[in-house]
Amino acid sequence: MEKLTIDSTIYSSKPIEGSRLEKEMKTYRLLEQLGISYLRVDHEPADTIEDCKEIEAILGVKIYKNLFLCNRQKTQFYLLVMPGDKKFVTKEVSKQIGSSRLSFGNAQHMEKYLNTTPGSASILGLMNDKEHKVHLLLDRQVTESEYFGCHPCINTSSLKIQTKDILEKFLRYTGHQPCIIEL
């Protein structure tokens, strides 16, 4: 596995306006608006949890796995946020939420509802789901952690945010009610 190039500088503010994609800048502006502080590290694209291991060491936080899922009919969509070291077992999750068997949602639906692409899925993408088409599933371990590690809707930066700010400020703003599951 090739080593990911990471700028080990830890930032506590957003990048310069105009220097990044609008969807990333929109994320930082919303975090500022909600009074949510964060630490940020910039890096090459980190498409997988394995890519995030070095980032975790620099930020001092676990980067969570974010899976965009749907039911067989592609009428219900879910964002599952779970620790990267846990295994996703479809039937366990399906049973807990009372849904038919889940599978991975396609890139078009992910972009339409979350304005993210595969490898960049993030709970922060829920800010783009104004019609609440995506149901949030959180592993209990995520809700019990002090800090939350995720991408700002693009996988070339990673953030460390207090979990209580995600649960109490960010989700209150988006209106998404998490369903807590056990994996």
Side-chain angles (χ1 to χ4, degrees), residues 22 44 114 150 170:
E22 177 55 25
E44 289 182 325
L114 301 178
C150 63
F170 179 77

Side-chain angles (χ1 to χ4, degrees), residues 38-151:
Y38 56 87
L39 296 178
R40 172 178 59 89
V41 168
D42 297 331
H43 46 77
E44 289 182 325
D47 295 320
T48 66
I49 284 298
E50 290 74 34
D51 290 341
C52 294
K53 295 298 179 201
E54 295 172 65
I55 299 163
E56 291 176 343
I58 293 169
L59 274 178
V61 67
K62 291 286 185 190
I63 305 296
Y64 291 127
K65 189 183 301 185
N66 292 258
L67 304 177
F68 184 69
L69 307 168
C70 66
N71 62 359
R72 184 172 291 138
Q73 301 81 11
K74 294 183 175 51
T75 56
Q76 297 287 317
F77 298 92
Y78 303 89
L79 181 66
L80 170 60
V81 182
M82 60 188 279
D85 58 355
K86 284 194 175 182
K87 188 172 180 172
F88 169 59
V89 180
T90 309
K91 72 178 184 182
E92 284 181 21
V93 176
S94 297
K95 182 179 176 183
Q96 288 183 59
I97 66 172
S99 174
S100 62
R101 198 153 185 99
L102 298 172
S103 61
F104 291 101
N106 65 39
Q108 292 82 10
H109 284 114
M110 184 188 296
E111 190 140 9
K112 177 179 179 181
Y113 297 127
L114 301 178
N115 194 22
T116 62
T117 55
S120 295
S122 170
I123 194 170
L124 298 176
L126 291 173
M127 71 182 188
N128 300 304
D129 181 29
K130 304 290 188 204
E131 296 178 11
H132 299 99
K133 298 288 187 182
V134 179
H135 304 281
L136 177 60
L137 308 175
L138 293 177
D139 180 77
R140 182 168 307 284
Q141 189 177 339
V142 170
T143 66
E144 294 171 350
S145 297
E146 183 177 1
Y147 291 101
F148 196 98
C150 63
H151 296 310

